[in-house]
Amino acid sequence: MLLIKCPYCGERAEVEFANGGEAHIARPADPSTLSDEEWAQYLYMRDNPKGLIAERWRHAHGCGRFFNAIRDTRTDRFVTTYEMGQPRPVVTPEQAAEAAR
Amino acid sequence: MFSRTGFGVSVPYMKIVCFIHAAAQIVSHRLRYGYAACGMNMQKFSAFSLVRQALGANQGWKPQWRSVKPKAAYDIIIVGGGGHGLGAAYYLAKQHGLRNIAVVERGWLAGGNTARNTTIIRSNYLFDESSSYYEHSLKLWEGLSQELNYNVMFSQRGCLMIAHTVHDVQVFKRHVHANRLNGIDNEWLTPQEVKEFCPPLNISPNIRYPIMGGSLQRRAGTARHDAVAWGFARAASDMGVDIIENCEVIGINRAPTGEVTGVETTLGTIKAKKVAVSAAGHSSVVLGMAGIRLPLQSNPLQALVSEPVKPAFPTIVMSNTIHAYISQSDKGEMVIGAGTDSYVSYTQRGGLHIPAHTLEAINELCPMFRRLRMMRSWGGITDNTPDRSPITAKTSVPGLYVNCGWGTGGFKATPGAANLFAWTIAKNEPHPINAPFTIERFREGALIDEAAAAAVAH
């Protein structure tokens, strides 16, 4: 079970959280102007990276708030968690190496 | 004076029959495949060959497939040496007459999801597109041991999907009717009939989610996962397919005009006219090398087995509502499937709370298993599409094909997917059965929404 650090509540067990999929996928401002291909990219296509992923979590059985996290999908180690609305933080090579360990 | 065998036939006579039989096999084999294609002369399994090898203290068995170094170029490279990839190579050689094929595998054969599932085989899917795909596969399973001359231990012990709510009852009855309209066997059982078919189940009305009936597909069953891959590998290798293990694809090479020219691997560059990716959880990674994004999320799916016990469980039982599925292997272990972990991961492991949840459900359904000890657990990386239906199709890159998105239910489709993937690669167009299973369906909105139909990983 993962130990996840909610930016608001601190470290809690994974069972308190719900995963919200890839982060930083913004809903297009004006969907009616998009082509079918662009809409499909927004709606269904995902990076699904083997390595660092930016993903959403919701502290469903806690404060109830969404937040983002950077995690290495090869090890499931978190690099950091950060509040919704913040840009994706820059990961240093040291942090990346630690998460890949 | 003749010594007599148990069959009442003389030993010299048996020897002659054996000799003629073996000679005829070699001749017919050579006629079919030519000399060049059968470097190692596959040893046929038969009662005769078993007896003959037993008399030789079993020292005469040869490796099941050739160990080869990659050639510089092939007509077709298949990326992924699991059941689907090896099967595709087999059907390309067998049905489409293509022999200049390599299967490249990052690890060892069938070490990924082929070895990491609960071996359930069924075709009782709701939508016409799905049920015809899975039924195509089930029909191939029914003749697979004979076709491959390899015992895949396909056991049609039935798959019982139990209903716990009024909604379940309605949904499963709808499945039963939809399947029967498509000529696929599926029948509704009352709780009493469920109990008669599978006595370990608790049909008491007093449990939290009582059993209100179930749908039974009698032709469903299980098979031996390794044997499927090994059988395909052996037959494909014998027809000239090169199977290359410990060879990871690290790039897809393309001509300036865009079409595929081969792959970069950890064993060097291999040229190919066509590259077919059958890489399950790693499909996004491999196709990402060609700049293709897929509608996939890779999630761990865990399963576990108990200590082996005497035959106690006659069928496969699945419960979507409280999420449990269980069957007994031929070794005697209870094979139990858990749910997927919710996050993207390539670790081949997941959280303990996921199998614990499944075991709670198993214990309620089958109280007699409460003191059974769990022996091993493992995780596979499943490639899930938004509609939980697969993709077996051409891609936007000429010469690049993909068979992925099987998610949590790919094992049952092994021969069917392999068969139709081979068709798609050979003819550069899909078979009518897999024609709806494109990547473009996500652009066109023509989803095959088994996710909604089953409301569970399947």
Side-chain angles (χ1 to χ4, degrees):
Chain A
M1 190 183 295
L2 306 178
L3 192 60
I4 303 174
K5 187 179 177 188
C6 170
Y8 309 99
C9 310
E11 287 191 331
R12 299 292 177 86
E14 181 196 334
V15 284
E16 293 189 14
F17 298 86
N19 184 276
E22 240 169 84
H24 304 295
I25 298 174
R27 183 181 170 87
D30 189 2
S32 62
T33 61
L34 296 187
S35 68
D36 287 352
E37 181 59 40
E38 288 166 327
W39 186 243
Q41 286 290 333
Y42 158 69
L43 208 53
Y44 295 123
M45 303 299 163
R46 296 292 178 262
D47 285 341
N48 198 25
K50 185 180 186 181
L52 294 177
I53 188 173
E55 64 185 352
R56 303 187 302 171
W57 286 92
R58 181 169 172 261
H59 196 180
H61 301 285
C63 64
R65 283 195 269 190
F66 271 98
F67 59 92
N68 290 336
I70 305 275
R71 183 173 54 87
D72 193 318
T73 61
R74 295 167 297 182
T75 60
D76 290 342
R77 280 179 200 275
F78 285 93
V79 175
T80 183
T81 55
Y82 52 103
E83 293 179 16
M84 269 294 154
Q86 290 183 352
R88 180 174 174 156
V90 177
V91 177
T92 65
E94 294 76 40
Q95 284 178 314
E98 174 65 19
R101 186 169 56 86
Chain B
M1 292 290 286
F2 288 118
S3 59
R4 294 266 159 185
T5 66
F7 300 106
V9 185
S10 69
V11 167
Y13 176 73
M14 290 266 290
K15 276 185 177 164
I16 292 165
V17 169
C18 272
F19 178 76
I20 293 171
H21 178 77
Q25 274 197 342
I26 290 167
V27 169
S28 72
H29 189 261
R30 291 268 156 101
L31 283 175
R32 257 186 296 166
Y33 304 129
Y35 282 86
C38 47
M40 63 170 275
N41 297 321
M42 183 167 85
Q43 288 175 315
K44 286 271 178 189
F45 290 111
S46 65
F48 287 124
S49 74
L50 291 180
V51 170
R52 199 166 60 225
Q53 293 293 343
L55 293 175
N58 284 311
Q59 298 298 303
W61 294 111
K62 289 193 225 158
Q64 302 275 305
W65 55 84
R66 293 171 294 122
S67 180
V68 292
K69 293 266 180 282
K71 291 194 282 185
Y74 292 92
D75 290 340
I76 300 167
I77 290 177
I78 293 170
V79 182
H84 286 225
L86 293 165
Y90 167 77
Y91 287 114
L92 279 167
K94 174 89 178 181
Q95 297 186 334
H96 303 282
L98 300 164
R99 299 285 156 79
N100 191 18
I101 302 169
V103 178
V104 295
E105 164 58 43
R106 186 170 69 107
W108 60 91
L109 288 196
N113 289 357
T114 305
R116 293 169 178 274
N117 64 84
T118 51
T119 75
I120 294 168
I121 296 160
R122 60 187 178 89
S123 65
N124 52 352
Y125 282 71
L126 179 65
F127 293 112
D128 294 352
E129 296 90 342
S130 318
S131 58
S132 44
Y133 202 159
Y134 290 101
E135 179 65 11
H136 178 68
S137 189
L138 181 50
K139 283 185 175 145
L140 289 172
W141 275 111
E142 286 173 331
L144 200 60
S145 291
Q146 299 301 320
E147 178 171 353
L148 295 178
N149 178 238
Y150 205 94
N151 186 5
V152 301
M153 296 169 74
F154 181 46
S155 160
Q156 290 179 294
R157 60 187 67 183
C159 177
L160 180 61
M161 302 176 82
I162 49 181
H164 302 277
T165 64
V166 172
H167 178 70
D168 276 357
V169 173
Q170 292 168 343
V171 167
F172 287 169
K173 283 187 174 173
R174 184 182 172 209
H175 271 74
V176 168
H177 296 315
N179 289 155
R180 294 176 76 159
L181 284 171
N182 280 322
I184 295 166
D185 74 305
N186 201 353
E187 62 194 272
W188 178 255
L189 302 187
T190 63
Q192 285 68 36
E193 289 168 332
V194 165
K195 181 76 178 170
E196 281 162 28
F197 188 72
C198 186
L201 288 174
N202 177 14
I203 60 164
S204 156
N206 297 330
I207 64 175
R208 176 67 184 82
Y209 292 101
I211 294 175
M212 297 177 70
S215 70
L216 172 64
Q217 184 178 26
R218 292 183 191 270
R219 287 165 60 240
T222 60
R224 170 95 181 118
H225 51 89
D226 289 328
V228 181
W230 295 341
F232 275 134
R234 169 175 172 266
S237 176
D238 189 56
M239 287 187 283
V241 172
D242 281 357
I243 295 166
I244 303 156
E245 293 173 272
N246 298 310
C247 178
E248 182 176 358
V249 169
I250 51 178
I252 292 175
N253 295 331
R254 295 167 66 183
T257 45
E259 74 266 20
V260 159
T261 59
V263 292
E264 278 314 309
T265 75
T266 47
L267 298 182
T269 307
I270 312 174
K271 288 183 183 166
K273 294 174 191 143
K274 293 178 177 178
V275 173
V277 178
S278 194
H282 282 74
S283 299
S284 297
V285 176
V286 178
L287 285 185
M289 297 168 191
I292 295 174
R293 286 181 94 209
L294 290 170
L296 294 181
Q297 279 218 138
S298 293
N299 302 106
L301 175 66
Q302 299 178 72
L304 58 165
V305 292
S306 73
E307 58 190 328
V309 292
K310 288 190 174 178
F313 207 73
T315 185
I316 305 160
V317 165
M318 302 179 60
S319 165
N320 293 356
T321 298
I322 57 176
H323 206 284
Y325 39 109
I326 178 168
S327 64
Q328 189 171 19
S329 75
D330 290 343
K331 279 191 285 185
E333 305 147 335
M334 296 300 160
V335 183
I336 294 167
T340 45
D341 285 79
S342 62
Y343 47 83
V344 172
S345 179
Y346 290 83
T347 54
Q348 295 189 326
R349 60 177 182 264
L352 186 61
H353 60 288
I354 303 283
H357 173 78
T358 292
L359 291 177
E360 287 164 13
I362 298 281
N363 285 342
E364 179 150 290
L365 290 177
C366 310
M368 74 183 214
F369 293 150
R370 278 183 183 170
R371 290 166 66 191
L372 205 59
R373 283 162 296 192
M374 293 299 128
M375 193 168 66
R376 289 180 291 125
S377 74
W378 61 90
I381 299 304
T382 61
D383 44 336
N384 298 291
T385 55
D387 62 358
R388 297 293 187 273
S389 285
I391 295 166
T392 307
K394 298 199 283 184
T395 68
S396 54
V397 174
L400 186 61
Y401 305 84
V402 65
N403 174 41
C404 69
W406 287 99
T408 56
F411 181 78
K412 66 175 77 67
T414 302
N419 184 261
L420 299 179
F421 194 35
W423 174 291
T424 307
I425 299 162
K427 299 189 185 294
N428 196 34
E429 63 182 45
H431 186 278
I433 293 175
N434 69 310
F437 294 87
T438 60
I439 305 174
E440 288 74 31
R441 74 173 185 268
F442 295 97
R443 185 182 67 208
E444 291 153 5
L447 304 189
I448 304 156
D449 207 350
E450 290 294 340
V456 69
H458 55 258

